Amino acid sequence: MPEIINLLSDTVTHPTEQMRKAMYEAEVGDDVVQMDPTVIKLQKLAAEKVGMEDSLFVPSGTMGNLIALMCHCPAGKEIFLEATSHINRLEGGGVARVAGLMPYQIYSDHGIINPDDLRAAIRKEDVHHPDLGMIAIENTHNFGGGTVHPIEYLKEYRNIADRYNLKFHMDGARVFNAAAYLGVDVKEIVKHTDSVQFCLSKGLSSPVGSMLAGTREFIAQALKVRKMLGGGMRQVGILAAAGIISLTQMTDRLAEDHRLAKKLAEGLSQLDGITIDLEHAQTNLIFMTFDSNSSKNGEYFGSEMKEKYGVLCGVRNSGSIRVVTHRQISNQDVDYVLDCARKVMD
């Protein structure tokens, strides 16, 4: 048995040996006064990578999203977002408590908002309604099962934003996974937005950090908000050095994670008691559903896989489990997990 197979998330990826060497050798300065040369290099590279004018290195994706909301919208305005999105459900309520925005939750099919539903959500000017502010989407969408927004939808969101004078932000924590799935340059996805946040610390294997990209004016404002939120860092080039390798070497290999996820999903779906929506298992996230009333439910499966076989799964509740492929999961690991799952469910 392998020592441990960790399918909890792609956030568990360790930095590569090359990243560790680059971090050790990184040239550093004080980034709060914009004098860290490695951070400056990373920010220029990230902006070029996604086709934006400028970018900012931030400690986390949650902070990057919050900064974007605060820069795009004064408090009290309305933000249109998908009901199960990360900003709405998994960022501690910062959209309301810190940014002071009023979430308009739109329910969707696997996290992908139908443009017609977005249009229907936008109400006429009325003293009873908050002022219109912005649109925010998550691409890929976590709770949707790692689903990817069609580019035609992104174009429609842009058209709607322009018509109603809304800002359009993308929580692109895994946007490079979306690009890999669609087989396009990430610029083709991001170009429809006013800003994008993407993580270096998930499938791209950096130990920490995310990037926020947009116009130069937007990033200048974002720099001030980052400082206000406590995100100003000093000799952070040590971390930025890993991010440079993430962007130059790790984006092209994400298709392998998707291939292994598909193999894993197809194998698991053949087991009695496990259901997987294969149509929407598009990238590296797999959601397994169980009969919560069965003795072999999700909690049982997760416990048995961990205790007997050393496989860590993301047990959400008795009826649902998420597993995630990433750089540290091999083809042999997937074979082992499928063999263990058969034994648990037989």
Side-chain angles (χ1 to χ4, degrees), residues 61-209:
T62 293
M63 181 180 283
N65 286 331
L66 182 58
I67 291 171
L69 305 191
M70 295 175 71
C71 289
H72 284 318
C73 268
K77 288 199 173 185
E78 193 163 47
I79 177 172
F80 298 93
L81 38 68
E82 203 278 330
T84 64
S85 64
H86 199 277
I87 290 175
N88 195 47
R89 287 207 175 175
L90 296 175
E91 298 189 359
V95 59
R97 183 170 184 177
V98 184
L101 301 181
M102 179 66 186
Y104 191 112
Q105 303 176 72
I106 302 174
Y107 289 87
S108 70
D109 179 18
H110 291 85
I112 310 301
I113 298 173
N114 187 308
D116 289 337
D117 292 336
L118 177 58
R119 291 188 188 91
I122 299 174
R123 299 169 290 182
K124 294 181 179 179
E125 169 65 27
D126 190 288
V127 68
H128 301 91
H129 304 158
D131 291 335
L132 302 178
M134 65 182 292
I135 301 163
I137 66 165
E138 182 183 347
N139 194 23
T140 66
H141 196 289
N142 181 0
F143 279 164
T147 45
V148 178
H149 287 71
I151 288 182
E152 288 304 313
Y153 275 25
L154 300 179
K155 293 177 181 178
E156 285 300 302
Y157 301 153
R158 178 75 265 166
N159 290 337
I160 294 168
D162 289 343
R163 177 178 178 182
Y164 293 99
N165 195 29
L166 304 171
K167 294 295 184 181
F168 178 18
H169 172 69
M170 180 183 292
D171 171 7
R174 295 182 176 91
V175 71
F176 287 96
N177 291 89
Y181 173 76
L182 293 174
V184 301
D185 190 300
V186 70
K187 295 185 184 74
E188 293 301 308
I189 295 173
V190 172
K191 70 181 183 181
H192 304 286
T193 69
D194 293 299
S195 60
V196 62
Q197 175 276 128
F198 60 89
C199 292
L200 303 171
S201 57
K202 292 188 168 68
L204 303 187
S205 297
S206 278
V208 66

Side-chain angles (χ1 to χ4, degrees), residues 199-226:
C199 292
L200 303 171
S201 57
K202 292 188 168 68
L204 303 187
S205 297
S206 278
V208 66
S210 291
M211 305 304 301
L212 178 62
T215 64
R216 290 187 184 88
E217 181 181 9
F218 170 79
I219 293 299
Q221 186 181 2
L223 181 64
K224 291 186 176 182
V225 176
R226 185 187 72 174

Side-chain angles (χ1 to χ4, degrees), residues 52-69:
M52 293 287 194
E53 290 181 355
D54 203 356
S55 77
L56 184 67
F57 186 45
V58 294
S60 71
T62 293
M63 181 180 283
N65 286 331
L66 182 58
I67 291 171
L69 305 191

Side-chain angles (χ1 to χ4, degrees), residues 7-8 28 33 51-52 110 143 146 179 183 190 193 228 262 301 318:
L7 298 173
L8 291 173
V28 298
V33 292
M52 293 287 194
H110 291 85
F143 279 164
V190 172
T193 69
M228 178 179 65
K262 182 178 181 180
F301 180 89
S318 62

